[in-house]
């Protein structure tokens, strides 16, 4: 399983055994007595992943007592929730692959994939119930934001909305909310002071948006072997991403070039053919809007670092800063 290290050898060596425990508990949590439910529930866990959210839980718990057993449960909760959203997202986006493996809906069909996501949400709810009423409320609020983010992404902005600002709010709800909850749960169940919990929660909100903006770049510039996803899937499905929104803004301006207009026309055209999609991806990959999106990701990462300015100096604060920088470095 690939993991996203935090750039501090001492902390990495301390946290990795706990992350291994999270992995064991995660596999136990997705086990089902029903044969089909067990196979579909294990599908994405077995495919691996960076386990970014559990790592953030474990890291922020170091602001207090990271060895508390509740911390491991919180790490399992956020990853189960994340995995559940992936089952649903892949159905809605018609994504053929996830983490280098066929998406669940490609193997079992849409209905089984959606129900499997629901099963994982149920398991996450069972685990979080053991963490107390406050954790249940936070989880419910996060789940609501995840749904609202997906809903808004699906229906799109109204005519009066600024598409870029609307999209940033979608990212805040759909991606950043769970990353913020991961940081919050870590500090909270590690017993850190409330001021620290609040700081890392804001940090997670900014870092989550940075993460997704970086993913928008990676989706275009990386190949399937690197990302585990088919490049340009969002383009084919008409899902708006920041590079396309910036291109639309550019085309609407007096500075638009014929190349800008031709690329946007191709994006809005028929991309069902693999060759047509590959051509558009290649053209978009070298367009200035990709660099503009990467720069936006860096700005949000800087805001994340600024949100923890008042944390005590030390390895955890340094690691959180490095963590935010690592999220966007992937898009370099």
């Amino acid at each position: 399983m690939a993991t996203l290290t935090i750039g501090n050898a001492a902390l990495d060596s301390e946290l990795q055994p706990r992350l291994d425990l999270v992995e064991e508990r995660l596999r136990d949590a997705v086990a089902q007595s029903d044969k089909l439910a067990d196979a579909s529930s294990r599908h994405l866990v077995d495919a691996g992943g960076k386990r970014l959210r559990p790592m953030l839980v474990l890291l922020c718990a170091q602001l207090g007592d990271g060895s508390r057993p509740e911390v491991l449960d919180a790490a399992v909760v956020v990853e189960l929730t994340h995995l559940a959203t992936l089952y649903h997202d892949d159905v809605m986006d018609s994504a053929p692959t996830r983490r280098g493996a066929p998406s669940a809906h490609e193997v079992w069909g849409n209905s089984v994939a959606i129900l499997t996501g629901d099963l994982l949400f149920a398991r996450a709810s069972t685990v979080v119930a053991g963490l107390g009423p406050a954790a249940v409320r936070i989880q419910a609020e996060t789940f609501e934001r995840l749904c609202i983010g997906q809903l808004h992404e699906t229906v799109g902005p109204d005519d009066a909305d600024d598409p870029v600002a609307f999209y940033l709010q979608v990212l805040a709800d759909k991606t950043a909310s769970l990353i913020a909850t991961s940081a919050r749960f870590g500090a909270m169940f590690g017993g850190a002071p409330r001021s620290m919990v609040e700081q890392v929660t804001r940090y997670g909100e900014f870092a989550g948006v940075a993460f997704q903006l970086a993913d928008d770049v990676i989706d275009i510039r990386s190949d399937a072997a690197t990302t585990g996803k088919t490049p340009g899937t969002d383009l084919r499905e008409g899902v708006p991403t920041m590079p396309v929104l910036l291109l639309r803004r550019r085309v609407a301006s007096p500075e638009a070039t014929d190349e800008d207009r031709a690329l946007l026309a191709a994006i809005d055209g028929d991309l069902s053919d693999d060759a047509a999609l590959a051509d558009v991806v290649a053209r978009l990959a070298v367009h200035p809007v990709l660099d503009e999106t990467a720069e936006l990701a860096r700005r949000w990462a800087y805001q994340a670092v600024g949100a923890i300015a008042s944390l005590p100096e030390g390895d955890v604060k340094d690691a959180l800063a490095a963590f935010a920088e690592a999220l966007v470095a992937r898009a370099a």
Side-chain angles (χ1 to χ4, degrees), residues 119-138:
L119 278 172
L120 295 190
F121 275 127
R123 287 294 170 91
S125 298
T126 298
V127 178
V128 80
L131 294 173
V136 171
R137 177 181 55 79
I138 293 168

Side-chain angles (χ1 to χ4, degrees), residues 40-213:
S40 62
S41 295
R42 291 180 181 276
H43 184 66
L44 284 184
V45 173
D46 290 343
K50 294 182 289 292
R51 305 294 189 245
L52 180 155
R53 292 155 189 83
M55 176 63 86
L56 192 54
V57 172
L58 299 179
L59 176 58
C60 289
Q62 294 296 107
L63 292 167
D65 180 2
S67 66
R68 290 184 174 185
E70 299 97 317
V71 172
L72 294 180
D73 288 337
V76 171
V77 167
V78 296
E79 188 65 9
L80 280 174
T81 303
H82 173 58
L83 290 171
T85 66
L86 297 184
Y87 282 88
H88 291 172
D89 287 355
D90 286 345
V91 170
M92 298 188 74
D93 297 343
S94 300
T97 59
R98 168 70 68 175
R99 296 177 175 176
S103 297
H105 67 87
E106 292 284 334
V107 179
W108 292 285
N110 287 349
S111 295
V112 170
I114 291 169
L115 289 168
T116 301
D118 293 344
L119 278 172
L120 295 190
F121 275 127
R123 287 294 170 91
S125 298
T126 298
V127 178
V128 80
L131 294 173
V136 171
R137 177 181 55 79
I138 293 168
Q139 172 75 353
E141 291 170 350
T142 304
F143 189 17
E144 180 178 356
R145 288 186 64 189
L146 291 169
C147 294
I148 289 292
Q150 184 66 64
L151 177 65
H152 285 170
E153 180 181 83
T154 301
V155 301
D158 293 332
D159 291 340
D161 292 326
D162 173 63
V164 171
F166 181 90
Y167 181 65
L168 289 172
Q169 185 59 53
V170 166
L171 299 190
D173 289 331
K174 185 180 172 183
T175 299
S177 63
L178 187 55
I179 292 179
T181 293
S182 300
R184 183 179 186 178
F185 273 174
M188 179 176 159
F189 290 109
R194 176 175 294 191
S195 63
M196 293 186 186
V197 175
E198 292 172 351
Q199 286 184 68
V200 298
T201 303
R202 290 195 299 272
Y203 164 93
E205 289 280 350
F206 291 126
V209 174
F211 173 77
Q212 191 57 58
L213 288 171

